[in-house]
Amino acid sequence: MKTKYILLSALGAMAMTACNDEFLDRYPQTDISSEGFFNSVEDLKTYTNGFYDYIGASYDDIYTDNTGFSQNDATLKNLMKGLVRPDNIGSWSGNYSNIRNINFLIVNADRVNAEQTDIDHYVGLARMFRALQYVSLVKSWNDVPWYDRPLETDDIDELYKPRDSREFVMGKVLEDLKFAAEKIPEGTSKTRITRWSALGYLARVALYEGTYRKYHDELELQGTAEEWIRIAKEAAWTIMDEGGFSLGPNYTDLFLSTNLDNNPEIILYKDYDKDLEVRHNASSLFDYAHALSRDLMNEYLYIDPATNEAKPFNQVPGYATMNRQEVFANRDPRMRQTIAPEWFIPRNSTDSARIKVELGGYPQIKFYPLDVAHDGWGNAFNDLPMIRYAEILLIYAEACAELGELDQTVLDQTVNLIRQRAGVPALSYAQANANPDADLMDKYPNIQAAARGATLEIRRERRIELACEGFRYDDVMRWKCGQLFARPGQGMWLDHIGLIDMSGKAGRSRPADFVDTGVFFDKEHQKQWLADNGYPADYIETHGVTVYYMDDDAVFYLSEGDHGYVMVATEKDGGKGEFIEPKYYYRPLNLHDRTINPNLDETIFW
């Protein structure tokens, strides 16, 4: 009965989650004991269907330095404010519940009367999902208990065991990922795990762990870093050499398509469907609760129209005080495919948007569907990439750089293919190393790769190409650059307060003096400003001007008082907090978890 109960719990938990496409198969409602269920390959397939809900896709980089303004708080912000404690941190129980479900299949798979290759396929699938659950745990808590079988209530020693070391757990993770990449067939599906997506996860995890060990000297694991990075390189190369993938012709199509099946770049994606009511909330991205940062905007390269050479934006005269319309001129085209450009017309409108000053002025449009069929809260159904070929190319390039094996050939095989698709001039290995970007050097002062300048450009390329796809947080953490998160968020530059054209209509569809937005200290200042500048007292009301006041209740302020960068009010005077090294690369263990198992030590540095 105990075994039956555990399986019932596992199946019930997974069956409650929404699914679509091939995930529509449901668990049997009867005969659910391990003896009665695990009899056929179809049983294995049915059981593993639920595992796909353990992984997902992202359409933002919220709470990182890619997002300068947000109306919400999160663990990272609370951490830097000193508000995260063992009594309020989230638990790891959800991950272990998933691991229990996965382990149940693994230990019962041999009951199936089938070809070993078919059994190995689904065991490999399960082990890959188990590995990803443990990676998530290690990222937060470093050392965690490892379990490779579902526990019974009388497994006292295992239930109350202490943490296993990061080395041990990640060694097991590597075994799982390698088994998956070896046993899962190649396949052509892009919504189900194939050999190629298993290799993609192997490359992603190995790069993360290898670079984490290399840069986090507090763990004293630097001597094992190269092995992991080399595994990442080899897995990425296998996909590049044998997988038959290529970059898609259009960057935007990757993020707005309702069917990614035929995109040659996609290795794995999350399938959303309007008719099946399987949707997400990217429909609410534009100018709603968060916007992208000036820091991200600055990192897009400037393409000199006279020489067709790419150079850092910070080398352009006057770059620091360009307004929202000016910064888009001659930039990497991916910038205006990610950040709403001047004269942007949102969904359900025939006119350019009135950009919200309170969110900094750089709203995200990557993943924002323009078709009105997506309109409404949680109503988007464009497919979301999970693993795409561009990421694999960047993994290979970075791994080569960290191994000291980067050269022009590698750049031409990877970064320059991505730049070519984007319409950005190629990266020169010699030039990048001879003249490293000072801004990137400031962001990543601890970089250890031999070809520092070119490696910095690979990091730039990774940030730009993969912006808003959920990678930035892990990248900053593994490079041990958490101080970037403590920098105050900056938005656009405003050269004055008063009436401003935020829509970009002035001189285009409207007169050169057209304005649609007003920024004032308070209502009295508004009244005085209008009078001083020759506007009638009722101009705001009669012209439909959107007004912001920088009073005590304002969510933003200007860096220079009456002009400057739009800044987050709660971050003023050190309000963002500090990133304590190396403590904040780890999370404290939930007090309840330690109460249940007193043999669990607190997380290192906590």
Side-chain angles (χ1 to χ4, degrees):
M1 289 300 295
K2 188 179 297 180
T3 301
K4 183 174 181 179
Y5 171 77
I6 293 174
L7 180 56
L8 179 61
S9 173
L11 297 182
M14 290 188 285
M16 287 191 296
T17 53
C19 46
N20 64 298
D21 192 41
E22 295 177 84
F23 307 160
L24 287 173
D25 295 334
R26 286 291 188 251
Y27 304 96
Q29 300 302 306
T30 60
D31 198 23
I32 55 175
S33 69
S34 58
E35 293 84 357
F37 184 71
F38 291 109
N39 292 319
S40 68
V41 171
E42 191 64 27
D43 289 344
L44 297 177
K45 177 182 178 181
T46 300
Y47 193 95
T48 56
N49 282 340
F51 297 165
Y52 283 86
D53 292 311
Y54 298 167
I55 58 175
S58 179
Y59 49 77
D60 63 51
D61 284 323
I62 201 165
Y63 313 127
T64 73
D65 57 339
N66 279 0
T67 303
F69 290 75
S70 174
Q71 303 290 7
N72 303 307
D73 244 338
T75 299
L76 178 63
K77 282 190 173 183
N78 288 331
L79 190 71
M80 292 191 296
K81 294 176 182 178
L83 301 177
V84 172
R85 305 179 306 271
D87 63 333
N88 64 14
I89 189 71
S91 173
W92 61 19
S93 59
N95 292 90
Y96 277 109
S97 178
N98 295 344
I99 290 167
R100 179 200 62 201
N101 296 339
I102 295 168
N103 282 339
F104 198 84
L105 178 139
I106 294 172
V107 301
N108 284 289
D110 285 342
R111 295 178 181 275
V112 174
N113 182 19
E115 294 292 332
Q116 191 61 44
T117 54
D118 292 330
I119 296 173
D120 287 346
H121 169 200
Y122 289 101
V123 172
L125 188 65
R127 290 182 66 173
M128 188 208 76
F129 283 110
R130 180 173 68 183
L132 296 180
Q133 290 295 308
Y134 273 109
V135 169
S136 178
L137 287 166
V138 168
K139 284 179 179 178
S140 291
W141 290 285
N142 197 51
D143 298 339
V144 299
W146 168 268
Y147 298 106
D148 57 8
R149 63 183 179 87
L151 300 183
E152 306 288 357
T153 54
D154 56 359
D155 289 322
I156 302 301
D157 290 344
E158 289 293 290
L159 286 169
Y160 294 100
K161 67 185 264 184
R163 300 181 187 227
D164 291 301
S165 71
R166 183 186 190 116
E167 283 183 281
F168 176 81
V169 174
M170 290 306 293
K172 291 294 186 181
V173 163
L174 186 57
E175 290 176 9
D176 278 354
L177 292 174
K178 284 185 173 180
F179 183 91
E182 178 183 347
K183 300 298 184 180
I184 298 175
E186 292 184 357
T188 59
S189 175
K190 296 186 177 185
T191 58
R192 310 290 284 185
I193 300 296
T194 64
R195 179 192 180 211
W196 309 118
S197 45
L199 281 166
Y201 278 121
L202 173 60
R204 182 187 293 177
V205 170
L207 183 70
Y208 177 91
E209 184 64 11
T211 51
Y212 198 98
R213 294 186 182 197
K214 180 173 182 176
Y215 287 102
H216 285 264
D217 54 345
E218 73 274 9
L219 296 180
E220 298 182 354
L221 295 175
Q222 300 98 311
T224 62
E226 182 176 333
E227 175 188 0
W228 282 87
I229 297 172
R230 191 162 297 283
I231 290 168
K233 175 189 173 183
E234 292 170 354
W237 177 254
T238 299
I239 297 172
M240 294 164 62
D241 189 45
E242 302 175 18
F245 299 96
S246 60
L247 296 177
N250 187 288
Y251 184 70
T252 304
D253 287 349
L254 289 161
F255 317 112
L256 298 182
S257 173
T258 56
N259 187 351
L260 287 173
D261 260 343
N262 296 321
N263 193 302
E265 183 170 346
I266 296 298
I267 299 173
L268 182 68
Y269 74 93
K270 195 78 169 179
D271 184 18
Y272 290 86
D273 192 288
K274 178 183 178 182
D275 295 333
L276 295 176
E277 297 188 354
V278 182
R279 309 175 189 182
H280 54 81
N281 203 34
S283 53
S284 301
L285 276 173
F286 174 73
D287 231 8
Y288 173 66
H290 79 275
L292 301 177
S293 65
R294 176 176 176 265
D295 187 75
L296 173 62
M297 182 280 293
N298 278 348
E299 207 149 301
Y300 288 86
L301 291 167
Y302 175 85
I303 304 173
D304 192 322
T307 63
N308 197 38
E309 293 180 345
K311 62 182 180 181
F313 184 54
N314 57 32
Q315 295 180 11
V316 177
Y319 84 97
T321 56
M322 288 183 180
N323 65 31
R324 215 195 82 83
Q325 282 75 40
E326 293 169 333
V327 297
F328 286 94
N330 303 313
R331 303 294 294 280
D332 179 334
R334 288 170 294 183
M335 179 173 155
R336 62 178 58 245
Q337 294 169 312
T338 303
I339 303 172
E342 73 283 26
W343 198 245
F344 176 74
I345 301 176
R347 187 176 61 244
N348 270 341
S349 178
T350 58
D351 209 348
S352 54
R354 192 173 299 192
I355 305 300
K356 290 182 179 179
V357 178
E358 64 186 16
L359 293 181
Y362 297 122
Q364 177 185 331
I365 59 169
K366 186 174 178 178
F367 292 110
Y368 171 75
L370 290 171
D371 190 328
V372 294
H374 299 259
D375 205 40
W377 183 265
N379 206 32
F381 52 91
N382 44 314
D383 292 337
L384 301 179
M386 297 171 71
I387 306 175
R388 59 187 182 93
Y389 191 55
E391 181 200 353
I392 301 304
L393 297 180
L394 290 167
I395 289 173
Y396 184 78
E398 185 180 345
C400 287
E402 295 292 351
L403 292 169
E405 299 170 3
L406 184 65
D407 57 21
Q408 188 64 51
T409 298
V410 171
L411 291 178
D412 291 342
Q413 292 171 325
T414 57
V415 171
N416 286 336
L417 290 179
I418 296 171
R419 286 194 174 188
Q420 182 180 30
R421 189 259 299 274
V424 178
L427 173 62
S428 165
Y429 177 83
Q431 288 181 344
N433 290 318
N435 301 290
D437 180 8
D439 183 59
L440 295 181
M441 289 288 289
D442 178 62
K443 288 175 182 173
Y444 311 116
N446 61 335
I447 193 165
Q448 298 174 30
R452 298 179 72 188
T455 305
L456 289 169
E457 291 300 326
I458 291 171
R459 291 190 181 187
R460 181 204 303 275
E461 196 65 29
R462 183 175 174 89
R463 187 182 189 187
I464 296 306
E465 176 69 20
L466 302 179
C468 309
E469 296 180 51
F471 292 99
R472 182 61 180 175
Y473 178 83
D474 281 349
D475 286 347
V476 171
M477 296 296 273
R478 67 188 173 90
W479 293 329
K480 201 177 182 182
C481 293
Q483 295 299 329
L484 292 175
F485 294 149
R487 295 183 176 186
Q490 282 187 344
M492 62 186 167
W493 175 268
L494 297 181
D495 60 8
H496 71 282
I497 58 174
L499 295 179
I500 305 168
D501 170 33
M502 286 300 300
S503 63
K505 296 175 186 175
R508 302 185 69 165
S509 63
R510 299 292 177 90
D513 60 351
F514 175 78
V515 294
D516 53 35
T517 301
V519 179
F520 306 98
F521 289 119
D522 51 36
K523 287 187 176 181
E524 284 302 313
H525 177 247
Q526 170 187 315
K527 180 180 178 181
Q528 188 64 50
W529 192 94
L530 292 174
D532 290 346
N533 288 274
Y535 288 91
D538 63 350
Y539 185 88
I540 300 293
E541 292 77 15
T542 58
H543 287 73
V545 175
T546 300
V547 175
Y548 299 91
Y549 297 117
M550 294 188 295
D551 53 20
D552 292 339
D553 297 324
V555 298
F556 74 93
Y557 68 100
L558 297 184
S559 61
E560 310 305 315
D562 60 355
H563 68 287
Y565 299 113
V566 178
M567 309 290 288
V568 183
T570 56
E571 297 177 0
K572 194 173 186 179
D573 300 324
K576 192 168 187 177
E578 61 177 331
F579 192 96
I580 299 176
E581 302 266 355
K583 183 177 182 178
Y584 285 174
Y585 292 105
Y586 310 95
R587 300 293 181 264
L589 185 56
N590 179 276
L591 185 61
H592 179 67
D593 292 329
R594 291 193 69 198
T595 302
I596 293 175
N597 180 3
N599 293 315
L600 294 172
D601 292 331
E602 182 54 282
T603 307
I604 55 172
F605 308 114
W606 282 89

